[in-house]
């Protein structure tokens, strides 16, 4: 029945929850969603079953709090740049691991990624330093599936349970989201950058 | 699973956690707040409930174990919330610099089990700064003259050392005896208090 201090829960899972929130609602609203998530979690923590998967539990709460933030934002809409058409990968571009791509998105900067020419037209290739417009331009369901599977690392069965859809649908949403993002964040090996 | 955050990310996360601790406190969700302070006795862990200071722990007690114990015995809604302990931290700092002789803090004695231990802790607070009492004298004052060993146990398990001055209880032969923070810490506190009293005597 022993539960560890809540501080340790925040310490261990806080970064992942923040990445999930950022991937779903963007970097600004993410802070509020993060805070709301842990306040709600703290309220319920003493009653949490001892053998629970704490991270999956937190992601489930973050999911609800992120939806709340999206509702708030839709009442006060902020313009999001239109998702540009992606380009085909250059010949010989290496495959990027999907999980790593998810992590890179969640990091808020695109270290190791370089843009395809068509989307790199903005000054300083802003979309590379700030991937959020591209991420937020994904349909919500795809953003969520990418966040919960690739960023939080939950299996598709749990992603499906959170989203209230079938495992097949969760898998397809994540795959479609990654495909779109892959078109925007096109990997080029580091040695070719100079 | 996920790589380390860069410097900015760590700062950002620290800020978020501070905000969470503040909001949790305002919402009445924070059952136990804690912080550590660096002192001449080594790092001390301070923990408080809504009633007041509930635990002072020396490093030798294992701060991580103490936090786990607090989560189990009081509530797992326990967070690092240094601002909630600013007052206690300041008073302990003043005391350890010889600038304070008595504490003016709300205290929560819920970690002391049993009426006898509560009696002992209450009596310890009546032993004046700079003076000492024997285990036998405390046993007598607590109403159980034969319970000398039990007084020793009550002192050893004092959840609020330094603030509730169990260091002022010494052996009848004049040696200082055991202390939860180790014998060196006990001697440091006794010397601090005797020099504080001496300084006061010369200044008046």
């Amino acid at each position: 029945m022993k539960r560890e201090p809540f501080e340790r829960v925040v310490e261990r899972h806080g970064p992942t929850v923040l990445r999930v929130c950022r991937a779903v609602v963007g970097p600004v609203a993410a802070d509020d969603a993060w805070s709301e998530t842990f306040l709600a979690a703290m309220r319920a923590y003493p009653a949490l079953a001892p053998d629970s998967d704490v991270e999956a539990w937190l992601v489930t709460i973050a999911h609800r709090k992120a939806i709340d933030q999206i509702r708030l934002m839709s009442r006060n809409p902020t313009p999001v740049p239109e998702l540009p058409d992606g380009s085909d990968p250059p010949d010989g571009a290496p495959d990027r691991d999907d999980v790593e791509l998810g992590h890179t998105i969640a990091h808020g900067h695109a270290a190791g990624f370089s843009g395809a020419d068509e989307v790199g037209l903005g000054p300083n290739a802003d979309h590379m330093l700030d991937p959020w417009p591209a991420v937020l331009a994904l349909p919500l369901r795809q953003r969520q599936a990418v966040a919960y599977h690739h960023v939080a690392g939950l299996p598709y069965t749990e992603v499906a349970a959170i989203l209230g859809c079938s495992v097949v649908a969760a898998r397809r949403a994540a795959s479609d989201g990654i495909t779109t993002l892959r078109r925007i964040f096109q990997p080029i090996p580091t040695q070719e950058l100079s | 699973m996920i790589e380390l955050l860069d410097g900015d990310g760590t700062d950002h996360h620290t800020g978020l956690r501070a905000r969470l601790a503040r909001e949790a406190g305002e919402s009445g969700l924070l059952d136990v707040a804690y912080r550590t302070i660096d002192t001449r006795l080594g790092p001390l862990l301070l923990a408080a409930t809504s009633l007041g200071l509930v635990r002072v722990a020396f490093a030798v007690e294992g701060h991580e174990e103490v936090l786990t114990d607090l989560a189990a015995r009081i509530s797992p809604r326990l967070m690092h919330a240094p601002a909630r302990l600013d007052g206690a931290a300041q008073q302990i700092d003043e005391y350890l610099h010889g600038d304070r002789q008595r504490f003016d803090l709300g205290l929560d004695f819920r970690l002391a089990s049993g009426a006898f231990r509560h009696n002992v802790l209450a009596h310890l607070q009546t032993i004046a700064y700079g003076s000492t009492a024997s285990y036998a004298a405390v046993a007598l004052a607590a109403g159980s003259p034969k319970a000398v060993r039990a007084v020793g146990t009550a002192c050893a398990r004092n959840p609020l050392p330094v603030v509730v001055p169990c260091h002022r209880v010494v052996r009848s032969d004049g040696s200082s005896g055991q202390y939860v923070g180790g014998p060196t810490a006990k001697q440091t506190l006794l010397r601090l208090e005797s020099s504080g009293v001496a300084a006061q005597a010369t200044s008046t």
Side-chain angles (χ1 to χ4, degrees):
Chain A
M1 283 305 288
K2 275 187 187 168
R3 249 168 236 97
E4 64 177 352
F6 195 72
E7 181 71 23
R8 299 287 163 262
V9 172
V10 180
E11 197 170 78
R12 189 171 310 127
H13 303 292
T16 302
V17 171
L18 185 60
R19 291 185 184 110
V20 166
C21 291
R22 284 178 167 179
V24 177
V25 300
V28 178
D31 284 3
D32 289 339
W34 186 93
S35 197
E36 293 294 322
T37 296
F38 277 103
L39 280 175
M42 196 170 179
R43 199 178 298 277
Y45 186 56
L48 180 69
D51 57 348
S52 301
D53 177 342
V54 174
E55 187 150 284
W57 177 66
L58 287 169
V59 170
T60 307
I61 298 171
H63 166 71
R64 292 198 295 266
K65 297 305 176 184
I67 299 289
D68 290 348
Q69 288 301 319
I70 287 168
R71 288 199 185 112
L72 270 177
M73 285 189 292
S74 66
R75 257 174 254 152
N76 308 293
T78 49
V80 172
E82 195 123 338
L83 179 66
D85 287 336
S87 68
D88 289 333
D91 288 341
D95 274 349
R96 190 88 197 183
D97 177 59
D98 281 357
V99 172
E100 199 179 336
L101 178 62
H103 290 172
T104 303
I105 293 159
H107 258 266
H109 57 78
F113 282 79
S114 178
D117 292 343
E118 283 84 346
V119 283
L121 294 176
N124 305 320
D126 276 351
H127 71 288
M128 281 298 122
L129 297 171
D130 181 9
W132 303 117
V135 174
L136 293 178
L138 291 177
L140 178 60
R141 179 54 60 96
Q142 292 182 18
R143 251 188 284 157
Q144 291 169 326
V146 168
Y148 306 153
H149 180 72
H150 293 293
V151 180
L154 299 187
Y156 282 117
T157 47
E158 292 189 33
V159 176
I162 293 171
L163 293 178
C165 66
S166 69
V167 175
V168 172
R171 191 186 294 273
R172 185 180 304 129
S175 165
D176 289 350
I178 287 289
T179 302
T180 304
L181 292 171
R182 189 190 291 285
R183 260 189 271 125
I184 300 168
F185 302 104
Q186 203 54 249
I188 291 176
T190 313
Q191 61 268 25
E192 293 178 20
L193 290 176
S194 58
Chain B
M1 173 176 60
I2 287 170
E3 56 273 37
L4 289 171
L5 286 164
D6 53 20
D8 278 357
T10 305
D11 286 349
H12 188 77
H13 205 248
T14 304
L16 279 176
R17 280 163 69 169
R19 169 186 165 181
L20 175 62
R22 190 177 65 245
E23 289 177 347
E26 288 164 359
S27 312
L29 289 174
L30 183 56
D31 296 332
V32 186
Y34 77 89
R35 74 180 286 174
T36 54
I37 53 172
D38 283 321
T39 72
R40 60 194 292 185
L41 305 174
L44 291 181
L45 181 134
L46 313 179
T49 66
S50 58
L51 296 178
L53 194 64
V54 74
R55 190 75 167 88
V56 175
F58 288 94
V60 294
E61 298 177 76
H63 286 174
E64 206 51 43
E65 285 83 348
V66 170
L67 290 175
T68 304
D69 182 61
L70 289 171
R73 292 176 68 188
I74 301 179
S75 166
R77 293 202 287 219
L78 179 152
M79 285 193 76
H80 185 246
R84 281 271 290 266
L85 289 141
D86 276 350
Q90 191 190 337
Q91 290 194 23
I92 289 171
D93 187 63
E94 288 167 1
Y95 166 76
L96 291 175
H97 283 91
D99 299 330
R100 171 179 286 276
Q101 298 201 345
R102 72 178 67 237
F103 291 98
D104 181 21
L105 293 168
L107 301 180
D108 181 343
F109 285 102
R110 78 176 76 186
L111 293 174
S113 54
F116 178 74
R117 286 192 189 162
H118 278 98
N119 271 349
V120 170
L121 295 182
H123 182 71
L124 293 184
Q125 293 178 284
T126 69
I127 306 174
Y129 184 92
S131 63
T132 58
S134 69
Y135 290 96
V138 175
L140 187 63
S144 308
K146 288 180 186 164
V148 178
R149 284 182 67 90
V151 169
T153 306
C155 288
R157 305 236 172 115
N158 175 10
L160 293 161
V162 181
V163 173
V164 174
C166 57
H167 57 271
R168 291 177 197 155
V169 184
V170 297
R171 292 204 179 117
S172 305
D173 65 7
S175 65
S176 72
Q178 297 295 311
Y179 187 56
V180 61
T184 312
K186 187 168 188 174
Q187 279 152 22
T188 301
L189 290 173
L190 291 173
R191 266 201 300 272
L192 165 82
E193 293 196 3
S194 59
S195 66
V197 168
Q200 198 176 41
T202 52
S203 70
T204 49

